[in-house]
Amino acid sequence: MKKVVTIILVSAFMMLSFSCKQNVNNVTTINEDTFEVNADNEKIKLAVKEAQETLDHFIEELSKHAKDTNYWFVVKSKFESADYNEHMWVSTLGFDNNQFTGILINEPYWVQNVSIGDTVKIIRTDIEDWVITNDVKQISEGDFTEKYLFEEQ
C-alpha cells in the first residue's frame, strides 16, 4: 500500500487564518486541521530543509524562554503506523541529549499508537517544522510547512 503523508497544521494558535480548497497546490483537505500531501512533494522537502537548517535558533530561544508563559514552542515530527504517516505538532517542554520532550497537541487521524496529550520524545534529526510564538509581541517564527505549501504560486 502506498504510504500517504498527513500533515496536521496548528496555525490557529498563532491567530493566523487561511482557507485551503480541495487539491490546492497538490494538498487535499481532510478536515479543517488535517491535510493530505504526497510524500514526495517538493515543497514539503523544502520546508523540512529550512526547518532543520534553522533548528539551532529554535533550540537557543527555547533555552532562553522555556519557562516564560508568553512564549509557546512547538515542533512537528512524523508519527508512523503500518500504512500511514502523520506529521503532528508537539508542544515542546525541553531539549536535552539531542532530543525534544513535549506533549502531542494534535488528535491523530490515522495513526493509533499515540493520542493527543501523550508525552513524546523526538530526536533532533526527526524535526520537520517548528514554531515559536511570542504572545506579548504577537509574532511567530518558523511554520515552514504553511509557508511552502500554501504560498501563492
Side-chain angles (χ1 to χ4, degrees), residues 26-54:
N26 295 316
V27 177
T28 303
T29 302
I30 303 298
N31 62 42
E32 67 182 36
D33 296 321
T34 307
F35 303 89
E36 188 174 274
V37 180
N38 288 333
D40 60 352
N41 184 297
E42 289 301 317
K43 289 185 176 191
I44 288 291
K45 291 177 185 177
L46 288 171
V48 171
K49 181 177 186 277
E50 188 169 354
Q52 278 291 319
E53 288 173 350
T54 58

Side-chain angles (χ1 to χ4, degrees), residues 68 70-72 132-141:
D68 185 338
N70 294 312
Y71 285 83
W72 195 26
I132 302 169
T133 301
N134 181 323
D135 290 336
V136 172
K137 295 180 181 178
Q138 296 186 341
I139 59 170
S140 64
E141 299 177 67

Side-chain angles (χ1 to χ4, degrees), residues 49-59 124 130 142 144:
K49 181 177 186 277
E50 188 169 354
Q52 278 291 319
E53 288 173 350
T54 58
L55 191 55
D56 284 337
H57 171 69
F58 178 89
I59 294 167
R124 178 190 172 115
W130 57 263
F144 305 106

